[in-house]
Amino acid sequence: MRRSDFFLPTSKDTPADAEIASHQLMLRAGLVRQSSAGIYSWLPMGLRVLRKIEAIVRAEQDASGALELLMPTIQSADLWRKSGRYDDYGKEMLRIGDRHDREMLYGPTNEELITDIVAGDIHSYRDLPKNLYHIQWKFRDEVRPRFGVMRGREFLMKDAYSFDLDEAASRRSYNKMFVAYLRTFAAMGLKAVPMRADTGPIGGDLSHEFLILAETGESAVYCDKALLDLAPPVAGSFSYDDDLQSVIDNWTGFYTATDDMHDAAACPVPTNALVEARGIEVGHIFNFGTKYSKPMGAKVQGPDGSDIFLQMGSYGIGVSRLVGAIIESSHDDAGIIWPKEVAPFQFGLINLKVGDEKCDALCAAIYATAQSKNIDILYDDRDERAGAKFADMNLIGVPWQITVGPRGLEQGFVELTERKTGNKQEVWPDMVKDFILTYGD
Ligand code: ATP
Ligand code: MG
């Protein structure tokens, strides 16, 4: 992408109404614009990141055997009356009336709708197990939307729903998602801590939250240091066909607690092995048996011909929250530092002297190479001061900067800067092509 063609409104000024770094940087780097409280437009740069995160989430859901579908954002109140949650949900639910005065709502989650679909179309134990997911916008009228997209009112969530014949099978489905989550967050360059959690309004008896550690996190996290050193399951070391219980036991065998659960006096972990931090909840998984299948009539005929209510679980990932959470855990005073895996562009090409024949020609050649290999590169071809270009490139956090200037070219080199470390190296112009091909995926 040529910067001169792109829509990337960046700013030097810290927005007054943004309290935390990720929110400030998302506005300054032109990723999002607020449209009303807790509701955002995703500008082209922000959307690129959102899509990358979505793709990582999708790839691992698919690998685990979950099937993607797409349910609507608007749902009928009747479904929620069936489960009994219509009245319970309270003011967080955005209630809407259509022209026929039918009560509708903007879905805050989809247990009811998916259970209704399954109740209508799955009738035999032979059709199980099934795990169905979608990546869709949700609306929750949060009392205090804040921190930008981290606690929005409209936000993008991946939500999966598992359906099984019995508790043991349902547990296997839960384990699969647990492993998928560990792998998903690792694939984004994040270390997520699974923590036993309260089940809250979704109900049920088994639940884990996945938190990434960051100073501005809303939840207090206490955990055994050893948990942070565990490496996520890698391909080849496990199979989604296994019951995965030993992997789960390994990950859940450590002490973890939130504020209300932690009692310093009773804590089994010695102080020097205890991590006290703050965390951002990026995922939450639940196993809740027949809580929805019973009232919604989701049952199948079992092997002996009897009716069996389906055992269910639900599994959420805050896709749009992750954009903020990743920035929160990876930035410096100059701006965002995107992990390569989710970066909107892998390379930022800075032409220090637009109009200089040699600079223009080399930049055009580098740009063409990247384009031809589908490597994401942002070419700053604007006629701007060098300082402003560097500041902008640092702000938007592209992993590698390639700087082409007349003085360097005269001496026969181009400068490569790694955003994360600030390390610079000077290379021959001819080597840039290889560099791009090596680091650009
Ligand atoms: P929280 O405790 O942060 O309010 P929750 O427990 O209500 O979240 P879940 O119902 O578990 O949320 O939703 C699944 C995921 O969706 C959460 O783990 C979180 O990452 C994301 N999420 C929930 N609420 C919001 C929100 N208001 N804005 C952005 N993402 C959200
Ligand atoms: Mg939660």
Side-chain angles (χ1 to χ4, degrees):
M1 180 64 64
R2 282 176 184 272
R3 180 70 201 262
S4 59
D5 292 334
F6 205 32
F7 176 47
L8 179 57
T10 56
S11 154
K12 287 197 288 285
D13 308 320
T14 302
D17 51 345
E19 294 170 62
I20 60 170
S22 60
H23 188 193
Q24 293 168 358
L25 290 170
M26 285 186 75
L27 294 170
R28 287 187 51 210
L31 303 185
V32 291
R33 288 293 176 259
Q34 181 174 308
S35 89
S36 57
I39 303 179
Y40 291 85
S41 297
W42 291 78
L43 304 189
M45 190 72 147
L47 187 60
R48 290 177 82 98
V49 179
L50 191 67
R51 292 281 186 251
K52 289 231 160 150
I53 292 174
E54 218 182 301
I56 293 173
V57 170
R58 176 175 290 116
E60 201 58 35
Q61 292 293 297
D62 292 348
S64 79
L67 302 166
E68 186 170 8
L69 79 172
L70 185 59
M71 290 177 271
T73 54
I74 308 290
Q75 306 179 20
S76 143
D78 292 344
L79 274 182
W80 286 70
R81 290 216 168 81
K82 264 197 193 170
S83 74
R85 276 209 292 184
Y86 190 63
D87 296 323
D88 292 354
Y89 223 94
K91 291 202 161 192
E92 274 205 5
M93 180 182 272
L94 180 63
R95 295 158 206 262
I96 305 165
D98 72 7
R99 69 197 299 162
H100 305 293
D101 290 330
R102 277 189 289 251
E103 292 170 281
M104 313 292 286
L105 57 99
Y106 195 123
T109 177
N110 282 61
E111 279 81 6
E112 282 76 0
L113 192 46
I114 193 74
T115 309
D116 188 55
I117 291 171
V118 166
D121 284 297
I122 292 190
H123 305 294
S124 163
Y125 72 95
R126 287 189 210 91
D127 300 328
L128 301 175
K130 281 283 173 292
N131 188 330
L132 301 165
Y133 79 97
H134 71 164
I135 301 176
Q136 178 62 293
W137 294 91
K138 306 289 185 288
F139 195 95
R140 295 182 185 173
D141 206 349
E142 301 271 356
V143 196
R144 261 192 85 199
R146 59 183 186 149
F147 299 161
V149 300
M150 291 241 263
R151 184 166 296 285
R153 294 198 296 164
E154 190 183 44
F155 58 96
L156 189 61
M157 195 204 284
K158 183 287 298 182
D159 37 327
Y161 303 90
S162 65
F163 298 87
D164 285 281
L165 192 62
D166 56 35
E167 281 176 37
S170 187
R171 181 64 209 234
R172 283 197 292 278
S173 296
Y174 186 88
N175 292 353
K176 276 188 198 181
M177 282 293 111
F178 195 115
V179 168
Y181 276 38
L182 294 174
R183 288 173 50 77
T184 298
F185 299 125
M188 292 172 194
L190 296 172
K191 179 157 271 184
V193 181
M195 196 149 91
R196 180 129 197 148
D198 285 341
T199 49
I202 300 223
D205 46 29
L206 177 61
S207 173
H208 286 90
E209 285 177 355
F210 290 77
L211 297 129
I212 61 171
L213 303 185
E215 275 164 36
T216 47
E218 288 186 317
S219 329
V221 178
Y222 299 86
C223 77
D224 193 324
K225 254 192 196 131
L227 180 55
L228 299 180
D229 296 330
L230 282 186
V234 291
S237 75
F238 78 99
S239 161
Y240 278 118
D241 295 332
D242 300 341
D243 75 3
L244 300 171
Q245 194 57 47
S246 59
V247 183
I248 306 304
D249 290 345
N250 190 27
W251 278 84
T252 54
F254 297 93
Y255 177 78
T256 60
T258 50
D259 235 354
D260 38 337
M261 295 148 72
H262 181 70
D263 173 0
C267 180
V269 183
T271 328
N272 62 356
L274 186 72
V275 175
E276 272 190 65
R278 302 207 57 87
I280 301 169
E281 182 193 316
V282 289
H284 199 166
I285 61 178
F286 303 86
N287 187 277
F288 43 71
T290 57
K291 182 173 158 59
Y292 298 93
S293 57
K294 264 197 186 140
M296 313 287 303
K299 51 183 192 276
V300 295
Q301 208 166 54
D304 63 358
S306 64
D307 277 350
I308 298 168
F309 283 110
L310 297 177
Q311 296 286 327
M312 290 178 59
S314 76
Y315 314 91
I317 290 183
V319 175
S320 50
R321 175 179 287 184
L322 272 164
V323 180
I326 291 170
I327 298 173
E328 208 53 48
S329 71
S330 185
H331 68 272
D332 62 14
D333 290 343
I336 301 168
I337 305 172
W338 289 118
K340 176 182 190 310
E341 297 82 354
V342 301
F345 296 95
Q346 295 305 322
F347 301 99
L349 175 60
I350 300 174
N351 185 344
L352 288 181
K353 191 145 196 207
V354 173
D356 176 279
E357 211 172 300
K358 283 188 182 146
C359 289
D360 289 354
L362 181 60
C363 285
I366 294 171
Y367 184 66
T369 300
Q371 291 286 92
S372 70
K373 301 285 179 192
N374 267 330
I375 292 168
D376 292 328
I377 188 167
L378 181 66
Y379 172 21
D380 195 341
D381 59 344
R382 297 170 306 164
D383 191 9
E384 273 277 355
R385 284 184 308 110
K389 288 189 172 186
F390 286 127
D392 241 28
M393 216 43 109
N394 285 334
L395 172 64
I396 62 185
V398 171
W400 289 100
Q401 299 171 7
I402 305 166
T403 310
V404 175
R407 235 174 302 154
L409 280 191
E410 221 158 85
Q411 294 164 39
F413 68 80
V414 166
E415 193 173 72
L416 303 177
T417 310
E418 188 181 18
R419 173 67 181 87
K420 190 167 156 188
T421 58
N423 289 344
K424 292 180 193 303
Q425 58 193 102
E426 291 172 351
V427 302
W428 294 328
D430 283 353
M431 288 171 66
V432 175
K433 191 171 163 184
D434 284 343
F435 177 79
I436 288 181
L437 298 180
T438 310
Y439 285 89
D441 268 332

